[in-house]
Amino acid sequence: MTQATFTDAVRSHIAADRSMLNVSIPAVITSYDPITQKCSCQPLIDSLLRDERLVRMPILEDIPVMFPSTQLSALTFPVNVTDTVLLVFSQRSLDNWLATRDTNPVNPEDFRKHDLSDAIAIPGLFSFPRAINDPSKHTLLHDTDDLVISHNLGSPNENEIRLESNGTIKISAGEGTKITLNLDGTMTIDAPTTLAVTSPTTTWVGDINVTGTVTATTDVVGGGKSLATHVHSGVTTGGSNTGVPV
């Protein structure tokens, strides 16, 4: 019978200690408060014990959700139940830090490390079959080479801002309404029903070509002449032409 050495005992102790260390794990949102950015999560990988028993991890409560943001700028989006996230576990207790309004260091007041109660949720982690960059998951035409901000993915209300790899920028609300900016200096606006511009004064520099009818509810002025109130010179009775507007 081989006698365990001191080295074996140390290794066994380290292995046992590491088995209790929480670093990161995928989880699913079970509840979420968008005002406080606080959620509850169910870790999605069970613990496998030495005797091959599986142990379901508990639902973790009061987890802060991280958004890409600073004090003055933020990218926010809805977080929904059944969304998957990556949980990372803080090296020290988060309790006092989560309750403070300033940026001064705080006393953790206990010695726990990488504890299940000190998780932080980072949205955006998906299993391979659920990857959202799959074009089939989008209602609008999707190219994986583009930089895209999308909302309502896969629904009739899908909308997006798309920076295409060829330099074109598109803003789309559904499949029909969009603004396209091209690198060649051209720009198109597609509005299937109406286009409304509300401004006290609108200035256009350059020619305007219209296919269709131009309707003005008050007046049209061209070359200083009012379409509604101008008069003509050289007016005579009969079929002759008048002079130019005065």
Side-chain angles (χ1 to χ4, degrees):
M1 180 176 180
T2 304
Q3 187 173 8
T5 65
F6 175 75
T7 301
D8 293 332
V10 171
R11 286 175 176 168
S12 177
H13 176 77
I14 292 174
D17 191 59
R18 289 179 59 190
S19 69
M20 302 299 293
L21 180 67
N22 302 295
V23 180
S24 63
I25 196 169
V28 61
I29 299 283
T30 57
S31 68
Y32 177 64
D33 181 353
I35 304 302
T36 60
Q37 292 179 220
K38 184 188 300 184
C39 74
S40 299
C41 286
Q42 172 65 64
L44 289 174
I45 301 177
D46 292 336
S47 295
L48 179 62
L49 304 184
R50 293 281 183 178
D51 59 7
E52 298 188 353
R53 285 184 298 126
L54 285 176
V55 176
R56 179 65 43 84
M57 296 180 70
I59 292 178
L60 308 181
E61 308 283 349
D62 298 334
I63 302 172
V65 176
M66 191 179 83
F67 287 99
S69 58
T70 66
Q71 294 181 88
L72 298 179
S73 304
L75 175 62
T76 65
F77 42 82
V79 175
N80 302 299
V81 172
T82 73
D83 279 342
T84 48
V85 298
L86 177 66
L87 294 183
V88 295
F89 298 92
S90 175
Q91 183 171 318
R92 294 288 185 181
S93 167
L94 290 176
D95 291 346
N96 288 347
W97 180 81
L98 287 171
T100 186
R101 291 182 179 273
D102 58 41
T103 57
N104 296 321
V106 298
N107 182 350
E109 295 186 357
D110 65 32
F111 298 100
R112 71 179 189 249
K113 295 183 178 180
H114 299 280
D115 195 85
L116 289 178
S117 59
D118 297 315
I120 299 168
I122 305 175
L125 178 65
F126 294 89
S127 61
F128 293 140
R130 300 179 67 241
I132 61 170
N133 208 30
D134 180 352
S136 68
K137 306 286 179 64
H138 294 246
T139 300
L140 301 176
L141 186 65
H142 180 60
D143 188 332
T144 57
D145 288 333
D146 299 340
L147 187 158
V148 187
I149 299 175
S150 300
H151 190 36
N152 300 320
L153 283 177
S155 77
N157 296 330
E158 183 172 309
N159 46 39
E160 67 178 27
I161 300 174
R162 178 174 296 270
L163 280 63
E164 297 184 352
S165 57
N166 63 8
T168 298
I169 299 174
K170 290 182 179 178
I171 303 173
S172 302
E175 298 189 61
T177 306
K178 61 179 176 290
I179 300 173
T180 305
L181 292 79
N182 302 299
L183 281 180
D184 62 6
T186 59
M187 172 181 174
T188 60
I189 299 176
D190 296 302
T193 54
T194 60
L195 172 64
V197 178
T198 301
S199 176
T201 302
T202 303
T203 302
W204 299 82
V205 178
D207 297 333
I208 298 178
N209 298 314
V210 177
T211 301
T213 301
V214 176
T215 302
T217 57
T218 55
D219 198 0
V220 175
V221 178
K225 309 298 183 182
S226 166
L227 180 64
T229 62
H230 74 273
V231 295
H232 290 263
S233 63
V235 177
T236 59
T237 302
S240 61
N241 295 326
T242 64
V244 298
V246 178

mmCIF file of all heavy atoms in Angstrom, residues 8 15 26 38 53 78 81 114 117 119 121 128 144 166 180 186 190 198 201 245-246:
data_model
loop_
_atom_site.group_PDB
_atom_site.id
_atom_site.type_symbol
_atom_site.label_atom_id
_atom_site.label_comp_id
_atom_site.label_asym_id
_atom_site.label_seq_id
_atom_site.Cartn_x
_atom_site.Cartn_y
_atom_site.Cartn_z
ATOM 1 N N ASP A 8 1.377 15.008 -1.899
ATOM 2 C CA ASP A 8 0.053 14.514 -2.289
ATOM 3 C C ASP A 8 -1.037 15.181 -1.453
ATOM 4 O O ASP A 8 -2.108 15.542 -1.976
ATOM 5 C CB ASP A 8 -0.029 13.004 -2.107
ATOM 6 C CG ASP A 8 0.874 12.253 -3.064
ATOM 7 O OD1 ASP A 8 1.132 12.790 -4.159
ATOM 8 O OD2 ASP A 8 1.314 11.146 -2.708
ATOM 9 N N ALA A 15 -6.716 20.907 -4.768
ATOM 10 C CA ALA A 15 -7.775 20.460 -5.677
ATOM 11 C C ALA A 15 -9.152 20.642 -5.042
ATOM 12 O O ALA A 15 -10.110 21.075 -5.695
ATOM 13 C CB ALA A 15 -7.557 19.000 -6.060
ATOM 14 N N PRO A 26 -22.281 30.211 -17.602
ATOM 15 C CA PRO A 26 -23.492 30.676 -18.292
ATOM 16 C C PRO A 26 -24.712 30.527 -17.394
ATOM 17 O O PRO A 26 -24.786 29.612 -16.565
ATOM 18 C CB PRO A 26 -23.600 29.749 -19.511
ATOM 19 C CG PRO A 26 -22.268 29.077 -19.625
ATOM 20 C CD PRO A 26 -21.696 29.020 -18.245
ATOM 21 N N LYS A 38 -31.166 44.960 -11.781
ATOM 22 C CA LYS A 38 -30.953 43.834 -10.872
ATOM 23 C C LYS A 38 -31.724 42.623 -11.393
ATOM 24 O O LYS A 38 -32.883 42.745 -11.791
ATOM 25 C CB LYS A 38 -31.434 44.211 -9.472
ATOM 26 C CG LYS A 38 -31.183 43.159 -8.409
ATOM 27 C CD LYS A 38 -31.873 43.539 -7.104
ATOM 28 C CE LYS A 38 -31.374 44.859 -6.552
ATOM 29 N NZ LYS A 38 -31.993 45.155 -5.221
ATOM 30 N N ARG A 53 -22.592 12.232 -9.176
ATOM 31 C CA ARG A 53 -23.905 12.815 -8.943
ATOM 32 C C ARG A 53 -23.932 14.245 -9.486
ATOM 33 O O ARG A 53 -22.945 14.970 -9.405
ATOM 34 C CB ARG A 53 -24.239 12.833 -7.454
ATOM 35 C CG ARG A 53 -24.610 11.490 -6.874
ATOM 36 C CD ARG A 53 -25.027 11.616 -5.413
ATOM 37 N NE ARG A 53 -23.949 12.106 -4.585
ATOM 38 C CZ ARG A 53 -24.043 13.169 -3.796
ATOM 39 N NH1 ARG A 53 -25.180 13.864 -3.739
ATOM 40 N NH2 ARG A 53 -23.006 13.559 -3.059
ATOM 41 N N PRO A 78 -33.473 46.138 -23.685
ATOM 42 C CA PRO A 78 -34.292 45.311 -22.800
ATOM 43 C C PRO A 78 -33.571 44.004 -22.452
ATOM 44 O O PRO A 78 -32.902 43.413 -23.303
ATOM 45 C CB PRO A 78 -35.552 45.029 -23.624
ATOM 46 C CG PRO A 78 -35.554 46.054 -24.702
ATOM 47 C CD PRO A 78 -34.125 46.367 -24.984
ATOM 48 N N VAL A 81 -36.642 37.765 -19.354
ATOM 49 C CA VAL A 81 -36.606 36.417 -18.805
ATOM 50 C C VAL A 81 -36.353 35.438 -19.953
ATOM 51 O O VAL A 81 -36.931 35.585 -21.036
ATOM 52 C CB VAL A 81 -37.929 36.099 -18.075
ATOM 53 C CG1 VAL A 81 -37.994 34.631 -17.670
ATOM 54 C CG2 VAL A 81 -38.074 36.998 -16.847
ATOM 55 N N HIS A 114 -14.973 34.974 -4.484
ATOM 56 C CA HIS A 114 -15.580 34.233 -5.601
ATOM 57 C C HIS A 114 -16.829 33.484 -5.133
ATOM 58 O O HIS A 114 -17.081 32.344 -5.529
ATOM 59 C CB HIS A 114 -14.565 33.261 -6.212
ATOM 60 C CG HIS A 114 -13.354 33.923 -6.784
ATOM 61 N ND1 HIS A 114 -13.343 34.514 -8.025
ATOM 62 C CD2 HIS A 114 -12.109 34.104 -6.269
ATOM 63 C CE1 HIS A 114 -12.149 35.021 -8.263
ATOM 64 N NE2 HIS A 114 -11.373 34.789 -7.207
ATOM 65 N N SER A 117 -22.851 34.485 -4.149
ATOM 66 C CA SER A 117 -23.662 35.676 -3.876
ATOM 67 C C SER A 117 -23.052 36.953 -4.448
ATOM 68 O O SER A 117 -23.637 38.024 -4.318
ATOM 69 C CB SER A 117 -23.851 35.835 -2.363
ATOM 70 O OG SER A 117 -22.601 35.966 -1.705
ATOM 71 N N ALA A 119 -22.159 37.593 -7.821
ATOM 72 C CA ALA A 119 -22.137 37.445 -9.277
ATOM 73 C C ALA A 119 -22.434 38.775 -9.967
ATOM 74 O O ALA A 119 -23.096 39.658 -9.422
ATOM 75 C CB ALA A 119 -23.154 36.397 -9.710
ATOM 76 N N ALA A 121 -23.787 39.907 -13.957
ATOM 77 C CA ALA A 121 -24.342 39.355 -15.195
ATOM 78 C C ALA A 121 -23.944 40.200 -16.395
ATOM 79 O O ALA A 121 -24.123 41.418 -16.391
ATOM 80 C CB ALA A 121 -25.864 39.261 -15.097
ATOM 81 N N PHE A 128 -24.084 27.855 -29.181
ATOM 82 C CA PHE A 128 -23.886 27.911 -30.640
ATOM 83 C C PHE A 128 -25.189 27.829 -31.437
ATOM 84 O O PHE A 128 -25.395 28.601 -32.380
ATOM 85 C CB PHE A 128 -22.912 26.812 -31.082
ATOM 86 C CG PHE A 128 -21.507 27.004 -30.581
ATOM 87 C CD1 PHE A 128 -20.762 25.920 -30.147
ATOM 88 C CD2 PHE A 128 -20.923 28.260 -30.552
ATOM 89 C CE1 PHE A 128 -19.459 26.091 -29.684
ATOM 90 C CE2 PHE A 128 -19.626 28.446 -30.100
ATOM 91 C CZ PHE A 128 -18.884 27.352 -29.659
ATOM 92 N N THR A 144 -23.074 39.136 -42.007
ATOM 93 C CA THR A 144 -22.237 39.023 -40.812
ATOM 94 C C THR A 144 -20.971 39.875 -40.895
ATOM 95 O O THR A 144 -20.250 40.005 -39.899
ATOM 96 C CB THR A 144 -21.840 37.561 -40.558
ATOM 97 O OG1 THR A 144 -21.169 37.046 -41.722
ATOM 98 C CG2 THR A 144 -23.083 36.708 -40.284
ATOM 99 N N ASN A 166 -19.065 47.744 -47.085
ATOM 100 C CA ASN A 166 -18.697 48.553 -48.252
ATOM 101 C C ASN A 166 -18.759 50.050 -47.977
ATOM 102 O O ASN A 166 -18.538 50.857 -48.876
ATOM 103 C CB ASN A 166 -19.587 48.209 -49.447
ATOM 104 C CG ASN A 166 -21.060 48.520 -49.197
ATOM 105 O OD1 ASN A 166 -21.415 49.131 -48.191
ATOM 106 N ND2 ASN A 166 -21.928 48.095 -50.108
ATOM 107 N N THR A 180 -30.665 55.514 -46.625
ATOM 108 C CA THR A 180 -29.404 54.932 -47.087
ATOM 109 C C THR A 180 -28.418 56.030 -47.433
ATOM 110 O O THR A 180 -28.741 56.941 -48.208
ATOM 111 C CB THR A 180 -29.621 54.038 -48.319
ATOM 112 O OG1 THR A 180 -30.602 53.039 -48.021
ATOM 113 C CG2 THR A 180 -28.318 53.363 -48.740
ATOM 114 N N THR A 186 -24.287 59.998 -52.515
ATOM 115 C CA THR A 186 -25.735 59.945 -52.725
ATOM 116 C C THR A 186 -26.430 59.466 -51.447
ATOM 117 O O THR A 186 -25.844 58.774 -50.613
ATOM 118 C CB THR A 186 -26.103 59.005 -53.880
ATOM 119 O OG1 THR A 186 -25.623 57.684 -53.584
ATOM 120 C CG2 THR A 186 -25.481 59.501 -55.171
ATOM 121 N N ASP A 190 -36.471 56.040 -48.321
ATOM 122 C CA ASP A 190 -37.609 55.243 -48.769
ATOM 123 C C ASP A 190 -38.691 55.297 -47.698
ATOM 124 O O ASP A 190 -38.508 54.764 -46.595
ATOM 125 C CB ASP A 190 -37.197 53.797 -49.017
ATOM 126 C CG ASP A 190 -36.200 53.667 -50.152
ATOM 127 O OD1 ASP A 190 -36.534 54.103 -51.264
ATOM 128 O OD2 ASP A 190 -35.088 53.148 -49.925
ATOM 129 N N THR A 198 -41.078 68.704 -40.356
ATOM 130 C CA THR A 198 -41.634 69.824 -39.600
ATOM 131 C C THR A 198 -40.493 70.748 -39.191
ATOM 132 O O THR A 198 -39.622 70.361 -38.415
ATOM 133 C CB THR A 198 -42.379 69.335 -38.348
ATOM 134 O OG1 THR A 198 -43.433 68.450 -38.752
ATOM 135 C CG2 THR A 198 -42.970 70.509 -37.585
ATOM 136 N N THR A 201 -38.247 76.719 -41.100
ATOM 137 C CA THR A 201 -37.600 77.054 -42.367
ATOM 138 C C THR A 201 -36.771 75.865 -42.836
ATOM 139 O O THR A 201 -36.017 75.279 -42.056
ATOM 140 C CB THR A 201 -36.675 78.272 -42.220
ATOM 141 O OG1 THR A 201 -37.432 79.390 -41.738
ATOM 142 C CG2 THR A 201 -36.036 78.638 -43.546
ATOM 143 N N PRO A 245 -44.737 87.913 -65.712
ATOM 144 C CA PRO A 245 -45.264 88.429 -64.449
ATOM 145 C C PRO A 245 -44.533 89.703 -64.041
ATOM 146 O O PRO A 245 -43.332 89.839 -64.233
ATOM 147 C CB PRO A 245 -44.994 87.288 -63.443
ATOM 148 C CG PRO A 245 -44.921 86.062 -64.312
ATOM 149 C CD PRO A 245 -44.325 86.498 -65.586
ATOM 150 N N VAL A 246 -45.286 90.627 -63.451
ATOM 151 C CA VAL A 246 -44.718 91.889 -62.993
ATOM 152 C C VAL A 246 -44.213 91.723 -61.565
ATOM 153 O O VAL A 246 -44.940 91.222 -60.712
ATOM 154 C CB VAL A 246 -45.773 93.002 -63.082
ATOM 155 C CG1 VAL A 246 -45.203 94.321 -62.544
ATOM 156 C CG2 VAL A 246 -46.221 93.164 -64.520
#
